[in-house]
Amino acid sequence: MTTDTWNGLRYRVTGRGRPVLLIHGIGRSLSDWDDQHERLSDFYQVWSVDLPGFGASQPPPHGMRLEHLAHLMADFIRGMDIGPVHLGGNSLGGAVAMQLTADHPGLVSSLLLANSAGFGRGVSPVLRLASIPGVGERLLRPSRKGSQRSEHAMYHDPRFATPARVQRGFDLAQRPGGTEAFLDMLRSLGSVAGVKSGWRRALTPRVRATGIPTFIVWGDKDAVLPFRHLKRGARMLRAATHRFPNTGHGPQIEQADEFARLARKFWDGVDQGDSMSFSPESKKPRGLQPFQFGVGSAVITGAASGIGRATAMNLAERGNDLALVDRDKTGLDAVKAELTRQHPGLVITTHEVDLAQPVDFDGLAAAVAAEHHRLSLLINNAGVALNGTVDEISMADLDWVLAINLRAPIAMTKSFLPYLQREHGAHIVNVSSLYGLVAPAGQSAYAASKFGIRGFTLALQSELIPRGIGVSVVHPGGIATNIARNSRTGSLLGNEEAQRRRAQFARFLTMPPERAAAQIVDAVAQRRERVLITRKAVLVDVISRVMPVNHRHYLARQLHKTR
């Protein structure tokens, strides 16, 4: 098979059709994908590339770091004009593929990971020792015997460590700068204690949040990265998986026919819009596809601050155009200015609306749709708090909290639904509260509004999910926003008592809104129907289920302790 070069990167391309890009592991080359070129080129345009610093490719100008390799791969996809691609990676190539997916999700259609780095600390003892300065240089000194050991470590069946593959490995090891690139890469990702946790824990949630369909395969006799990582990867990325029995670190070589069959089945499912139903053994539909960010626009209420602002920032990072709704014009303008500065290519519109007042919601939806031709996500986030027992609040207080927390999201849903229905796979998020799970004393009006939006959302799920629209209800518990400062207490309370209760409420608000927003966006990506944010919310949910009647006595005692 012939190869070519682009900007210092050696690559191979065969076949025609939808583009597939395959990335090899540490110290390896594009030759690891030769068998897949032969088996897949009748169905796809198959690309493989020598990673920068490996094979015959030049090292990256800024050092061997995961993000640098991913950036150069993104440049390659753009330079060849082949995106979005079905992306596959083995070992280090899997980690590069995940980094590329997280940093440039618009370039990736799907993610296939074979024995990928990134799902745990475990790694072979040889690679742990090689991370030690001085030791690694001696271990990786080029020799034919060393290349033979490395090739045998790749496979469970020693017959695959052919003389030709050993010779190719020896040739690569002698390449000027090859050992340095290997050790630089190895030491950036691992140490004598194993694969470093920092980059792993930062990367996998970002990959999962993209919602890009993912399939992980693993050889159960892998001597480089342990087979137990398969289960961890499935949990971290919510991915489909497959185990190759009696197979080592390179299933694309050792199980070439079965690997190609499974890859085709996965990619065909993605291309046909049926990625969520994929499993190696079945095509039975199992639910909505992952949400695709960057396709349509998102409408967010309460977007001038707090969770709404943080959610807008998060979605902009994923390429979503935004329609921001709030009564605070100054805050809206500030958010728009920041987003426009960071993402000049996005369409960002602001809509000054006071949800406590009578609103022409149909007119608002039409105005938003006129500037955003594709609406795919509605986040009803705006909310207010009202503290007071039923005899401490007035009917005007009650009307105020119900108008914003309950009536407005219902009206927004009704008015925007005709536009959302035009986008296959749209999604609606309604933000309830911890007090949509339990209703302690002093929260009669607020709990009524939040239980109301919870009930509305549950019914909405039954109505819309069968029609292809995802619906999530979110229960935050103690997010550090302006809700305490902007909250009301019953108008029949004295000022001193009102101030005391606001201060007490504020002590519960500890989680940064950015973390809450990340969990909401992740829930959209994965089509989760129910989201509990903060440990408080999880604990309260458990207590209310275990003690459906008596939980109020426990909660009353806990609240009393905070006074």
Side-chain angles (χ1 to χ4, degrees):
M1 294 184 187
T2 60
T3 62
D4 209 335
T5 303
W6 179 85
N7 283 4
L9 297 177
R10 184 176 71 143
Y11 70 91
R12 173 175 292 136
V13 57
T14 58
R16 294 182 178 181
R18 284 292 307 274
V20 170
L21 176 61
L22 304 172
I23 307 176
H24 63 78
I26 190 167
R28 309 292 297 181
S29 74
L30 55 74
S31 298
D32 280 356
W33 297 105
D34 285 356
D35 292 338
Q36 296 306 312
H37 274 276
E38 292 178 3
R39 288 160 173 78
L40 296 172
S41 294
D42 288 341
F43 311 98
Y44 302 95
Q45 185 182 59
V46 183
W47 299 72
S48 59
V49 62
D50 279 342
L51 281 171
F54 298 112
S57 290
Q58 297 297 316
H62 303 297
M64 299 293 290
R65 298 295 181 269
L66 199 60
E67 59 271 22
H68 298 161
L69 269 59
H71 178 73
L72 290 172
M73 290 296 96
D75 286 347
F76 177 79
I77 293 171
R78 295 189 182 101
M80 297 292 101
D81 193 25
I82 57 174
V85 299
H86 291 303
L87 189 60
N90 171 231
S91 192
L92 168 66
V96 175
M98 287 195 285
Q99 187 75 49
L100 173 58
T101 300
D103 293 346
H104 308 277
L107 297 179
V108 180
S109 297
S110 69
L111 189 58
L112 193 164
L113 304 174
N115 298 54
S116 174
F119 301 127
R121 188 176 66 178
V123 68
S124 70
V126 171
L127 291 179
R128 290 174 186 250
L129 289 172
S131 69
I132 303 173
V135 176
E137 283 74 7
R138 289 194 294 273
L139 281 174
L140 296 182
R141 191 174 295 148
S143 71
R144 198 171 297 277
K145 184 173 287 187
S147 296
Q148 190 174 33
R149 284 196 301 267
S150 297
E151 202 65 34
H152 275 274
M154 185 79 176
Y155 314 109
H156 176 64
D157 185 343
R159 292 175 297 177
F160 284 90
T162 62
R165 288 190 172 115
V166 172
Q167 181 62 46
R168 185 162 56 225
F170 182 51
D171 293 341
L172 290 174
Q174 296 181 92
R175 182 173 175 268
T179 298
E180 290 80 0
F182 186 109
L183 291 174
D184 192 13
M185 188 79 250
L186 178 68
R187 289 163 181 167
S188 74
L189 300 179
S191 70
V192 70
V195 182
K196 295 176 182 177
S197 63
W199 69 270
R200 292 189 284 110
R201 292 175 179 172
L203 178 58
T204 50
R206 294 182 57 215
V207 176
R208 184 177 63 194
T210 66
I212 287 173
T214 302
F215 180 34
I216 308 175
V217 301
W218 220 284
D220 65 0
K221 304 297 183 184
D222 191 342
V224 180
L225 294 170
F227 174 64
R228 65 178 180 271
H229 288 188
L230 175 63
K231 186 175 292 186
R232 294 180 183 176
R235 184 176 67 251
M236 290 174 179
L237 302 186
R238 298 195 179 97
T241 62
H242 181 78
R243 164 182 167 269
F244 286 105
N246 298 313
T247 305
H249 192 58
Q252 75 276 20
I253 301 171
E254 234 176 324
Q255 300 284 350
D257 289 336
E258 182 66 0
F259 186 98
R261 184 186 73 82
L262 291 171
R264 284 184 57 199
K265 191 172 184 180
F266 174 54
W267 293 330
D268 287 351
V270 173
D271 290 340
Q272 293 165 14
D274 194 26
S275 60
M276 280 299 284
S277 70
F278 172 79
S279 74
E281 308 304 329
S282 173
K283 285 191 175 181
K284 183 180 178 180
R286 296 193 311 215
L288 292 168
Q289 300 174 46
F291 184 83
Q292 295 298 310
F293 295 99
V295 176
S297 298
V299 183
I300 308 173
T301 65
S305 63
I307 296 174
R309 176 187 178 279
T311 302
M313 297 293 176
N314 195 305
L315 289 171
E317 289 289 335
R318 287 159 174 76
N320 263 91
D321 294 335
L322 299 166
L324 309 178
V325 180
D326 204 293
R327 66 170 186 158
D328 178 5
K329 184 179 186 304
T330 302
L332 280 178
D333 291 343
V335 173
K336 179 180 179 179
E338 185 174 356
L339 287 169
T340 302
R341 183 172 63 254
Q342 295 177 0
H343 308 280
L346 296 183
V347 176
I348 313 291
T349 63
T350 59
H351 307 268
E352 184 185 358
V353 177
D354 186 350
L355 298 177
Q357 303 301 319
V359 175
D360 178 6
F361 287 98
D362 288 343
L364 173 63
V368 170
E371 297 184 86
H372 299 265
H373 302 299
R374 301 181 66 180
L375 298 178
S376 60
L377 179 59
L378 170 63
I379 301 180
N380 288 309
N381 163 76
V384 293
L386 174 61
N387 187 286
T389 62
V390 69
D391 55 338
E392 293 169 341
I393 62 172
S394 67
M395 288 306 297
D397 294 330
L398 182 62
D399 290 341
W400 174 74
V401 75
L402 291 178
I404 297 171
N405 291 359
L406 182 57
R407 190 182 188 282
I410 293 174
M412 288 285 292
T413 300
K414 280 185 61 64
S415 294
F416 279 88
L417 187 57
Y419 303 98
L420 294 169
Q421 287 176 319
R422 298 173 186 173
E423 288 297 317
H424 180 72
H427 201 95
I428 298 170
V429 176
N430 289 328
V431 178
S432 179
S433 167
L434 179 73
Y435 295 146
L437 300 170
V438 295
Q443 299 293 334
S444 52
Y446 183 66
S449 70
K450 292 302 185 180
F451 267 84
I453 196 61
R454 173 188 173 189
F456 171 69
T457 308
L458 293 178
L460 208 59
Q461 289 168 348
S462 298
E463 295 170 2
L464 296 185
I465 290 176
R467 291 152 63 181
I469 298 177
V471 183
S472 301
V473 61
V474 179
H475 296 279
I479 314 303
T481 67
N482 293 330
I483 192 168
R485 187 179 66 192
N486 297 332
S487 67
R488 289 187 185 181
T489 54
S491 56
L492 305 181
L493 278 172
N495 185 61
E496 183 177 339
E497 176 62 13
Q499 291 294 333
R500 186 191 69 78
R501 293 191 187 182
R502 284 197 191 94
Q504 179 187 351
F505 182 32
R507 287 199 294 271
F508 283 97
L509 311 180
T510 55
M511 176 182 278
E514 291 76 15
R515 286 179 59 191
Q519 292 186 43
I520 291 171
V521 174
D522 178 46
V524 172
Q526 300 300 326
R527 305 291 195 173
R528 290 167 56 197
E529 297 175 23
R530 189 169 185 261
V531 187
L532 303 175
I533 299 179
T534 73
R535 292 180 180 177
K536 296 188 197 77
V538 174
L539 178 62
V540 165
D541 181 55
V542 171
I543 292 170
S544 68
R545 291 168 180 266
V546 173
M547 299 185 291
V549 175
N550 293 327
H551 70 268
R552 68 176 182 271
H553 304 304
Y554 172 82
L555 294 174
R557 288 195 299 272
Q558 296 304 308
L559 289 170
H560 182 74
K561 291 177 182 178
T562 65
R563 295 182 180 179

